Amino acid sequence: MALICNSYIFKINNIKRPPAGLFLCLFFCLSPGFGQKSDSYNPIISAIEFQGLQKTKQDILEREIQHQLNMALDSSLAKEDRNRLENLGIFSAVTWNTVPLEDGTAILNFRVIESISMVPIFSPVYDENMGWFLILGTRLNNFRGRNEKLTLRGMFGNVSAYDVIFKNPWVFGDHVSLAFDFSKKIFEHYFLPYRQQTQVFEINIGRYFGYERRLTAGIELEKKEYFGEDTTDFYYFSPELSAVYDTRDIYNDPSKGMYIFWYGKYYWHLNQPKPESTTNWIQSYSAYYSPLKGKRKTTLGINLNISSTRGFRNEFWLGSLGGVNTVR
């Protein structure tokens, strides 16, 4: 800038018009467009950096970035990367910009503000069948700085229970997730003269295939005990499989498209006099459409749900699967 001004002043002195030349120099240097990049500014991105990280590990962000190094800036791809970072659910704000370098290249810079990681759980609950009970616990978002979620929860009152839930949406490979749940629950049975105690351990591994398909497989070990005039118990070994096909744009506009869900679970009863098994199969088909666009968008949805259970069933089994869709 100094060289430009000196050049103008030198010319002004030669033609003996310093006031006009000085005004022209100041007007040129202070004009709004001077030193700014136009909309067509597409430098080569030589580095990608992240600012604002306090607890989160940098590789958690790096694996979400699809903009490549040593290529011209693609602003649409940078915006998609920003959306992916925001969709992690661990940042309250995500922005991006470019930082020019002396060699003509630029740094693609993402700036984040981390959200609160510890969320307390306190909720009094009234259930028509169980009565009043209190839920206390905490949920740790972004546990260990790796976008993991850990929930520790207990129930007190007419229901005594605790559970530990852990979820990692990307534990290794390409979007391979891991989740496990361990829980114990004691309560009065809804309609049988028993006090029920249920213990469950479940582990699942899932994987995304693109943005539309997700497959999850897991196993569950379950023990149910019924205490009354006599004692009855059941042990289950249950492999399960679920698949999702989702055509909605979950990052920008999930208001149109299809959502299809299949879920199957096989219960192998371990302590029955003779080998018994039960199969539970659920299908869900949903479609979404927005007839009214704009800020006050209206979204319509329709759903078809099919559920079936085949195999061994007794009064205890029917009680455990009962719900709002069960007619007794």
Side-chain angles (χ1 to χ4, degrees):
M1 186 180 297
L3 293 176
I4 295 174
C5 292
N6 290 335
S7 176
Y8 273 103
I9 293 173
F10 176 76
K11 293 179 180 179
I12 292 167
N13 289 335
N14 286 342
I15 60 177
K16 299 181 180 181
R17 294 177 58 188
L22 181 60
F23 174 77
L24 180 61
C25 174
L26 294 175
F27 176 79
F28 177 73
C29 295
L30 299 178
S31 62
F34 182 75
Q36 295 186 3
K37 305 173 185 61
S38 65
D39 293 338
S40 60
Y41 176 68
N42 295 311
I44 299 298
I45 299 300
S46 58
I48 299 177
E49 296 182 354
F50 305 94
Q51 293 183 340
L53 297 180
Q54 298 179 0
K55 180 180 179 181
T56 308
K57 307 300 182 183
Q58 183 165 310
D59 63 294
I60 301 301
L61 284 73
E62 290 176 345
R63 65 190 185 186
E64 299 290 342
I65 303 301
Q66 295 188 4
H67 200 295
Q68 300 296 316
L69 294 176
N70 302 318
M71 65 172 285
L73 172 66
D74 186 336
S75 59
S76 61
L77 187 55
K79 291 177 182 178
E80 292 177 1
D81 288 339
R82 189 211 72 86
N83 291 342
R84 276 186 284 271
L85 294 179
E86 187 175 58
N87 193 65
L88 293 176
I90 57 178
F91 304 120
S92 57
V94 181
T95 58
W96 71 275
N97 69 312
T98 55
V99 180
L101 299 177
E102 293 182 355
D103 60 0
T105 64
I107 299 173
L108 178 57
N109 180 68
F110 292 91
R111 184 171 184 83
V112 301
I113 299 177
E114 294 186 351
S115 301
I116 298 175
S117 60
M118 180 178 292
V119 180
I121 300 174
F122 175 84
S123 177
V125 178
Y126 176 77
D127 183 86
E128 184 178 354
N129 295 313
M130 300 180 180
W132 285 98
F133 57 93
L134 181 65
I135 301 178
L136 293 175
T138 184
R139 184 178 65 198
L140 303 176
N141 296 321
N142 200 17
F143 179 59
R144 301 192 306 151
R146 306 203 62 82
N147 193 25
E148 300 168 338
K149 292 180 175 60
L150 177 64
T151 302
L152 307 173
R153 186 173 55 182
M155 302 180 188
F156 308 91
N158 290 338
V159 178
S160 297
Y162 66 85
D163 56 5
V164 179
I165 304 172
F166 174 83
K167 296 181 180 180
N168 187 326
W170 194 341
V171 65
F172 63 85
D174 183 9
H175 289 83
V176 178
S177 63
L178 172 68
F180 70 79
D181 179 7
F182 177 75
S183 64
K184 182 177 182 179
K185 187 176 183 180
I186 304 174
F187 60 96
E188 296 295 333
H189 196 277
Y190 304 129
F191 57 89
L192 296 176
Y194 291 96
R195 185 168 180 81
Q196 179 176 337
Q197 176 175 289
T198 303
Q199 299 180 65
V200 177
F201 175 76
E202 182 178 0
I203 184 169
N204 288 279
I205 295 178
R207 187 183 187 279
Y208 274 93
F209 298 87
Y211 291 104
E212 296 183 345
R213 298 171 178 84
R214 184 176 78 246
L215 187 66
T216 304
I219 58 172
E220 179 183 276
L221 300 175
E222 185 172 355
K223 177 183 179 182
K224 292 183 178 179
E225 297 177 282
Y226 299 87
F227 304 97
E229 294 183 358
D230 56 353
T231 300
T232 303
D233 54 18
F234 299 91
Y235 296 86
Y236 307 119
F237 174 79
S238 306
E240 56 186 346
L241 182 69
S242 66
V244 171
Y245 177 67
D246 190 356
T247 64
R248 300 172 299 169
D249 184 354
I250 60 175
Y251 292 107
N252 301 308
D253 184 13
S255 61
K256 61 180 180 180
M258 294 189 306
Y259 180 86
I260 301 175
F261 173 75
W262 297 282
Y263 174 79
K265 191 170 186 178
Y266 178 82
Y267 295 85
W268 183 22
H269 304 263
L270 300 178
N271 63 331
Q272 295 301 307
K274 59 180 180 179
E276 299 284 0
S277 63
T278 306
T279 302
N280 187 26
W281 175 250
I282 298 174
Q283 305 174 65
S284 179
Y285 304 89
S286 303
Y288 302 88
Y289 175 71
S290 297
L292 301 179
K293 310 295 183 181
K295 294 182 178 180
R296 297 182 178 273
K297 180 183 296 184
T298 300
T299 302
L300 302 178
I302 185 172
N303 172 262
L304 173 64
N305 189 81
I306 303 173
S307 178
S308 64
T309 303
R310 298 178 180 274
F312 173 78
R313 289 180 291 178
N314 59 13
E315 58 182 359
F316 298 101
W317 180 261
L318 293 176
S320 65
L321 287 184
V324 295
N325 297 320
T326 302
V327 178
R328 300 190 181 98

